[in-house]
Amino acid sequence: MKHLLTAGVVSLATLTASAQAEPSRVGDLVVEQAWARATIPSAKAGAAYLTVRNGGSQPDRIVSLEAPIAGHAMAHETRQEGDVSRMSEAGPLSVPPGGTLTMKPGGTHIMLMDLKGGLKVGQEFLLTIAFQNAGTVEVPVKVGRPGAMVPEE
Ligand SMILES: [Cu+2]
């Protein structure tokens, strides 16, 4: 499992430069590489991932998450305990000045709860992110294959 996760991180780094996802901007922040994993149609929960770059000189943080396709959305983190990975609610996710917040499978992610019909490959949905300083931005999220480790082009 550990090797698999490491491989995923490496591919993500290689793909980041070439993927075609459209960035969303708010204030000094750029949200990009927003994607989610497809689920079975009856799934009640799904995970989304994205990257936030902070080009400003002040730290910022995510204060709320909302998606019309889900009853509610929250930030989650994943911990590895032996061979078992467990998820729990993450504290407010922050983006340091000049820094990046990266979400990826096996790490920090956005948990979409109470889905109304699962997530389908090729589907696109909107996620609203409220940042403490920069304000609110709507981000299009593209749904990739179930179990995908990186956003698809
Ligand atoms: Cu989760």
Side-chain angles (χ1 to χ4, degrees), residues 45-49 74-78 86-89 107-113:
Y49 313 94
M74 66 175 84
H76 259 190
E77 58 196 3
T78 310
R86 292 179 196 285
M87 300 189 296
S88 55
E89 190 165 1
T108 307
H109 55 276
I110 294 163
M111 203 78 212
L112 304 163
M113 315 287 285

Side-chain angles (χ1 to χ4, degrees), residues 21-99:
E22 274 194 32
S24 308
R25 294 163 201 279
V26 60
D28 293 325
L29 305 179
V30 180
V31 182
E32 55 194 2
Q33 299 284 323
W35 67 289
R37 273 178 172 174
T39 65
I40 56 169
S42 61
K44 289 292 169 217
Y49 313 94
L50 49 82
T51 297
V52 185
R53 282 191 288 122
N54 185 351
S57 54
Q58 299 294 320
D60 210 334
R61 61 182 191 165
I62 295 176
V63 289
S64 84
L65 294 159
E66 215 172 296
I69 56 147
H72 64 283
M74 66 175 84
H76 259 190
E77 58 196 3
T78 310
R79 292 187 321 270
Q80 200 66 27
E81 290 178 4
D83 284 342
V84 184
S85 65
R86 292 179 196 285
M87 300 189 296
S88 55
E89 190 165 1
L93 300 178
S94 57
V95 202

Side-chain angles (χ1 to χ4, degrees), residues 1-14 80 104-106 149-150:
M1 190 61 190
K2 200 170 180 203
H3 291 294
L4 227 173
L5 287 178
T6 311
V9 172
V10 172
S11 329
L12 183 65
T14 359
Q80 200 66 27
K104 55 179 183 281
M149 292 302 289
V150 294

